[in-house]
Amino acid sequence: MKGLISLSNKIMQRYLPDPFLFVVILTLAVFGLGLIFTESSSLEMVQYWGDGFWSLLAFSMQMVLVLVTGYVLASSPLFKRFLGFLASFAKSPGSAIVIVTVVSMIASWINWGFGLVIGALFAKELAKRVKGVDYRLLIASAYSGFVVWHAGFSGSIPLSIATDGHPFQDLIGVISTNETIFATSTLIIVAALFIVLPITNRMLMPAKEETITVDPELFNETAATLEKEAMTPADKLENSMVLSIIVAVLGIVFLFSYFIKNGFALNLDIVNFLFLFLGILFHGTPKRFLAAVQEAIKGASGIVIQFPFYAGIMGMMTASGLAVVMSEAFVSISNDVTFYFFAFLSAGIVNFFVPSGGGQWAVQAPIMLDAAQTLDASVAKTAMAVAWGDAWTNLIQPFWALPALAIAGLKAKDIMGYCVIILVISGVVISLGLLFL
């Protein structure tokens, strides 16, 4: 295993390009595949790319806020103590890897945005406290927990088909989450991953001479301070806890009202809202809060620049019909036994080019649902097979790793050697569940 880990890391370090170059190469690959496998012309592919380029602006801003608000909350004194308390249970590098995996999986199952941020922030806290733990594996383990998100409370596909008025209601009706997220087969796969992933990540620990650690001092932030004698009236406002408390109370009142009306229904906007106002409250003064924001925003450049390129790729994939061609190819070799496995596999491949659960479902659903009815397969299980495929290849998709990498201060190639191995093992677990449950 240690030899395999070493080889995987060396290959990724040598050949995996920066995520920006990765998305540029992916753009050119989709452009070429569109010309080969669809009837689209070069000019049409360029048009599809340009039309889609800015279609993820709102989502990009949400992801920037996931990073910024999560970082701000975690850098507050109170939240640091909480993360420190959790980290105190890790007494060795091995236990640190297991704990961060479990915490990340729980957080991702509750809400995917919550999981992305909490996992990476907790990993940083563990790196400060546990001597000898490989920092790359720590972040990879935190990110690996993301694989369960689409089988959790924020799974976009199961939540979509459980909503009255969804786009495919005339074809399949409304399907309760009892048949998808809380189906026995889904829960067994999730439970299996909760056992297998921590063990796998623990086994991925590199040899001592190849372990890369970080100096805990690098994670120490300096709180914003100001000499009281030099305070002007404006400075006093900036250092006033009263203003922060008033604003935070307004936000918390809204959150209470929201949860009373909607139950524990987390979405990305609510997660960001929660992180933002708890960050304002926990930092105490506007000055300390703004200093944390300024520090957090430095890591958002990758999201700002790369997400529009992924939106352009999605535009080419959907408008040219290339995503449909890929899906139909897998359906054509399926039977009533292998259909869920091939639905999972096709979704995993399409996810490279359409890294959005909702967007991917809009493209693949017509093909997959029609095939399910032709084969007399379960529509609910078909939807979950696509959902699992979408979540699965996120493990090696830089699109989703960007927030975690920005928080960690690492590059994609630093963790992808581990993520490739985790991808294979988790893929086996999910595939077996879809084939035999």
Side-chain angles (χ1 to χ4, degrees):
M1 177 65 84
K2 292 190 185 301
L4 180 62
I5 296 163
S6 179
L7 177 63
S8 181
N9 281 329
K10 286 177 181 177
I11 290 173
M12 290 298 163
Q13 286 287 341
R14 186 173 180 84
Y15 295 108
L16 185 67
D18 180 88
F20 175 71
L21 296 179
F22 182 88
V23 74
V24 170
I25 293 169
L26 206 58
T27 299
L28 298 177
V30 172
F31 184 87
L33 290 171
L35 295 179
I36 295 170
F37 293 106
T38 74
E39 298 179 357
S40 304
S41 67
S42 298
L43 184 58
E44 286 174 329
M45 290 299 290
V46 171
Q47 188 67 46
Y48 300 150
W49 178 69
D51 287 344
F53 200 80
W54 300 115
S55 62
L56 289 180
L57 281 181
F59 180 68
S60 300
M61 186 61 180
Q62 286 177 318
M63 291 301 290
V64 168
L65 286 171
V66 163
L67 169 61
V68 171
T69 59
Y71 181 96
V72 168
L73 176 60
S75 64
S76 65
L78 182 61
F79 205 79
K80 278 188 197 177
R81 287 195 289 271
F82 173 69
L83 290 179
F85 168 74
L86 290 180
S88 67
F89 291 97
K91 305 300 183 184
S92 66
S95 62
I97 296 301
V98 170
I99 290 172
V100 76
T101 304
V102 172
V103 168
S104 176
M105 292 181 77
I106 292 172
S108 296
W109 191 71
I110 293 172
N111 179 269
W112 67 264
F114 188 66
L116 272 181
V117 173
I118 293 299
L121 293 171
F122 185 46
K124 285 183 67 175
E125 188 64 31
L126 285 166
K128 288 194 290 185
R129 292 171 175 265
V130 181
K131 292 182 179 180
V133 64
D134 189 284
Y135 186 52
R136 302 164 304 167
L137 178 57
L138 203 57
I139 299 301
S141 299
Y143 185 55
S144 71
F146 191 52
V147 77
V148 301
W149 82 271
H150 223 147
F153 290 110
S154 62
S156 56
I157 292 174
L159 291 182
S160 172
I161 61 177
T163 303
D164 187 34
H166 71 85
F168 305 104
Q169 183 170 341
D170 290 343
L171 183 63
I172 63 173
V174 175
I175 298 178
S176 167
T177 53
N178 290 330
E179 299 179 57
T180 52
I181 294 173
F182 301 111
T184 301
S185 58
T186 301
L187 293 175
I188 290 175
I189 294 173
V190 170
L193 288 171
F194 263 92
I195 296 170
V196 171
L197 278 187
I199 295 173
T200 298
N201 292 341
R202 173 64 177 80
M203 293 176 64
L204 291 179
M205 289 177 62
K208 190 173 182 179
E209 62 273 13
E210 294 186 3
T211 297
I212 295 179
T213 60
V214 291
D215 183 354
E217 293 298 321
L218 295 175
F219 296 127
N220 291 334
E221 299 96 359
T222 303
T225 58
L226 186 68
E227 294 294 331
K228 291 186 178 181
E229 295 79 11
M231 281 191 180
T232 65
D235 293 330
K236 291 179 180 179
L237 286 175
E238 291 176 2
N239 286 272
S240 170
M241 293 185 66
V242 174
L243 290 177
S244 290
I245 291 172
I246 291 173
V247 172
V249 167
L250 291 176
I252 292 170
V253 168
F254 169 79
L255 287 169
F256 270 111
S257 174
Y258 172 85
F259 289 127
I260 290 171
K261 292 178 182 177
N262 301 282
F264 195 64
L266 290 175
N267 57 46
L268 204 51
D269 288 335
I270 290 299
V271 170
N272 282 335
F273 197 93
L274 175 66
F275 284 6
L276 174 62
F277 285 94
L278 287 180
I280 291 173
L281 179 64
F282 291 168
H283 275 283
T285 69
K287 186 176 183 66
R288 288 198 291 266
F289 169 75
L290 291 174
V293 170
Q294 198 167 30
E295 185 65 27
I297 207 73
K298 294 176 183 177
S301 60
I303 297 172
V304 172
I305 294 300
Q306 293 171 44
F307 274 35
F309 281 87
Y310 279 108
I313 291 171
M314 288 173 58
M316 287 190 289
M317 285 289 293
T318 55
S320 70
L322 184 57
V324 172
V325 171
M326 287 183 176
S327 300
E328 289 178 338
F330 282 95
V331 168
S332 67
I333 59 174
S334 302
N335 57 40
D336 56 350
V337 175
T338 62
F339 173 64
Y340 303 118
F341 168 72
F342 282 120
F344 162 69
L345 201 60
S346 69
I349 293 173
V350 171
N351 180 56
F352 272 108
F353 311 102
V354 187
S356 163
Q360 183 171 341
W361 180 242
V363 172
Q364 287 196 275
I367 302 99
M368 294 303 171
L369 294 177
D370 182 65
Q373 293 181 333
T374 300
L375 295 170
D376 197 26
S378 165
V379 169
K381 190 173 178 180
T382 300
M384 286 310 301
V386 175
W388 277 118
D390 169 75
W392 176 51
T393 48
N394 284 337
L395 286 169
I396 53 172
Q397 168 56 274
F399 179 91
W400 291 110
L402 286 173
L405 291 171
I407 291 170
L410 294 178
K411 296 181 179 179
K413 62 184 179 182
D414 294 324
I415 69 169
M416 285 301 163
Y418 297 110
C419 288
V420 168
I421 299 173
I422 299 168
L423 176 88
V424 173
I425 293 174
S426 62
V428 170
V429 172
I430 298 167
S431 297
L432 290 173
L434 292 172
L435 283 170
F436 298 110
L437 294 177

